[in-house]
Amino acid sequence: MEDLSLHLLDIVENATAAGATLVEIGVRQNSIKNELSITVRDNGRGMERDILAKVRDPFTTTRKTRRVGLGIPLLEQACHEAEGRLDIMSEPGLGTEVTAVFQVDHIDRKPLADIGATLVTLIVGNSDVDFRYESNIDGEKILLDTREIKAELDGIYIGDPEVLALIRNLFQKRRANPSRHTAGGRINGEIED
Amino acid sequence: MAKLKIEDLRKIKESKKGTLNLRDGAYRAKVTVHMGTCGIAAGARIVMNTLITAIEQNNTDDVILTSSGCAGLCSQEPMMTVEVNDLSPVKYVYLDEEKTKKIFREHVIDGKPVAEYALSMGSETTY
């Protein structure tokens, strides 16, 4: 995985595969504390204790449980490379919460990159699942809740190109105006998060 | 706090009034992008967003997009499956942006499967 937005896409796909109807995503960056955290909480079927114990190991993959595979080990590796950690809590029947923590300024911390493309992909690919996304990047906040959007659209499909353009735009605005905290600046014309 | 503006959503709702909701089954073609860990690492998100842009640019109103998990052919990702009404479903492998655009144009819009990018089309043998 090249960046954290792809890891996020992958982890949320786990949640939807686990039968979640609501996935709540939180991205928080506090550069003063030098901490970036990504939390994915779902209301899917959750994991039993024995699966939870094995989920970080790519070589105990069981084909019938979709939640086990390379996604979690790869994310954990990305966390460890940036002096962070990966926490997983799960309750059978209630859901799962995955929190990935990174050091913001670690040289091996992957960039957040294109969160907008990840959300658009999730919304289009899982139109029967609701997503709540909330980010706070050094005080710069974005909130997106598909339940609110769907209520407002009143039956119009949320994956309509015009709606997706609005969603994408929400993230591009931020990318076009880097705050003073976004270290790194421009790399190949892209703004690094 | 950046949020979607309610006025913008209402405008879209007004402009779409009376159009068919494809999700109710009134679609001509369905494209499924395989979005497992393998697919995502290989570029499935690019495939999905290329399709979204193609639908937008063509004003296509009878094609639906969705995603699925790993299909077990991880080495051939990114993959997608195209199902056009009255045609057999076709799985495409080793996709990139250009291949996706060509498949969208020729198969999804014009109904002519692109054999060169398909998983097995034309390679079946009888023994």
Side-chain angles (χ1 to χ4, degrees), chain A residues 2-23:
Chain A
E2 282 173 26
D3 57 55
L4 297 182
S5 70
L6 288 174
H7 279 290
L8 177 64
L9 173 58
D10 188 29
I11 297 304
V12 178
E13 288 288 344
N14 284 347
T16 61
T21 55
L22 174 66
V23 183

Side-chain angles (χ1 to χ4, degrees), chain A residues 1-9 25-30 35-39 75 100 102 104 108-119 133-138 140 142 171 174-175 182-183 190-193, chain B residues 45:
Chain A
M1 300 282 169
E2 282 173 26
D3 57 55
L4 297 182
S5 70
L6 288 174
H7 279 290
L8 177 64
L9 173 58
I25 303 161
V27 177
R28 279 166 206 88
Q29 178 174 312
N30 183 331
E35 191 175 278
L36 169 68
S37 72
I38 300 176
T39 302
L75 177 57
F102 310 84
V104 176
D108 289 324
R109 198 226 353 134
K110 297 182 192 181
L112 270 176
D114 200 346
I115 298 278
T118 282
L119 286 177
Y133 172 85
E134 190 173 5
S135 63
N136 183 340
I137 307 289
D138 290 318
E140 209 166 330
I142 296 178
F171 290 87
R174 192 180 66 78
R175 290 168 68 79
T182 49
E190 282 269 321
I191 295 155
E192 202 204 14
D193 290 289
Chain B
R45 196 180 69 182

Side-chain angles (χ1 to χ4, degrees), chain A residues 1 5 10 13 66 114 118 120-121 124-125 127 141-143 149 152-153 155-157 160 162 168, chain B residues 1-4 6 8 10 12-13 16 21 23 35 37 40 45 48-49 52 56 65-67 70:
Chain A
M1 300 282 169
S5 70
D10 188 29
E13 288 288 344
R66 272 270 179 233
D114 200 346
T118 282
V120 162
T121 302
V124 170
S127 54
K141 295 175 186 172
I142 296 178
L143 178 65
I149 297 171
E152 209 54 60
L153 287 171
I156 305 293
Y157 171 48
D160 184 277
E162 289 182 47
R168 224 179 278 123
Chain B
M1 176 82 73
K3 281 183 81 170
L4 290 198
I6 287 172
D8 290 342
R10 288 205 176 131
I12 294 172
K13 187 178 83 178
K16 302 277 164 182
N21 191 338
R23 297 278 144 176
M35 203 66 71
T37 301
I40 293 167
R45 196 180 69 182
M48 180 65 102
N49 284 273
I52 291 168
E56 191 174 0
L65 288 180
T66 187
S67 65
C70 167

Side-chain angles (χ1 to χ4, degrees), chain A:
Chain A
M1 300 282 169
E2 282 173 26
D3 57 55
L4 297 182
S5 70
L6 288 174
H7 279 290
L8 177 64
L9 173 58
D10 188 29
I11 297 304
V12 178
E13 288 288 344
N14 284 347
T16 61
T21 55
L22 174 66
V23 183
E24 294 170 276
I25 303 161
V27 177
R28 279 166 206 88
Q29 178 174 312
N30 183 331
S31 293
I32 294 160
K33 284 189 183 166
N34 197 18
E35 191 175 278
L36 169 68
S37 72
I38 300 176
T39 302
V40 175
R41 182 165 60 216
D42 70 61
N43 63 354
R45 69 178 75 92
M47 286 178 280
E48 298 289 347
R49 198 174 282 266
D50 58 327
I51 294 177
L52 189 57
K54 289 191 294 189
V55 78
R56 293 160 192 263
D57 181 359
F59 300 112
T60 55
T61 301
T62 53
R63 204 64 179 90
K64 58 178 179 178
T65 45
R66 272 270 179 233
R67 299 197 58 101
V68 187
L70 274 175
I72 290 281
L74 287 174
L75 177 57
E76 186 170 39
Q77 183 183 29
C79 293
H80 287 171
E81 282 170 359
E83 299 288 333
R85 61 175 201 279
L86 184 73
D87 298 331
I88 309 168
M89 291 188 291
S90 193
E91 197 68 56
L94 288 178
T96 300
E97 182 174 321
V98 176
T99 304
V101 183
F102 310 84
Q103 273 186 12
V104 176
D105 69 356
H106 198 287
I107 193 156
D108 289 324
R109 198 226 353 134
K110 297 182 192 181
L112 270 176
D114 200 346
I115 298 278
T118 282
L119 286 177
V120 162
T121 302
L122 285 169
I123 290 168
V124 170
N126 308 277
S127 54
D128 47 350
V129 179
D130 278 308
F131 299 97
R132 184 181 195 281
Y133 172 85
E134 190 173 5
S135 63
N136 183 340
I137 307 289
D138 290 318
E140 209 166 330
K141 295 175 186 172
I142 296 178
L143 178 65
L144 187 96
D145 192 326
T146 59
R147 291 168 298 185
E148 288 173 15
I149 297 171
K150 284 174 185 171
E152 209 54 60
L153 287 171
D154 192 24
I156 305 293
Y157 171 48
I158 190 169
D160 184 277
E162 289 182 47
V163 182
L164 297 181
L166 286 181
I167 294 171
R168 224 179 278 123
N169 201 22
L170 198 60
F171 290 87
Q172 273 159 3
K173 258 184 226 157
R174 192 180 66 78
R175 290 168 68 79
N177 295 305
S179 78
R180 60 199 161 86
H181 292 294
T182 49
R186 281 167 191 276
I187 293 171
N188 297 330
E190 282 269 321
I191 295 155
E192 202 204 14
D193 290 289

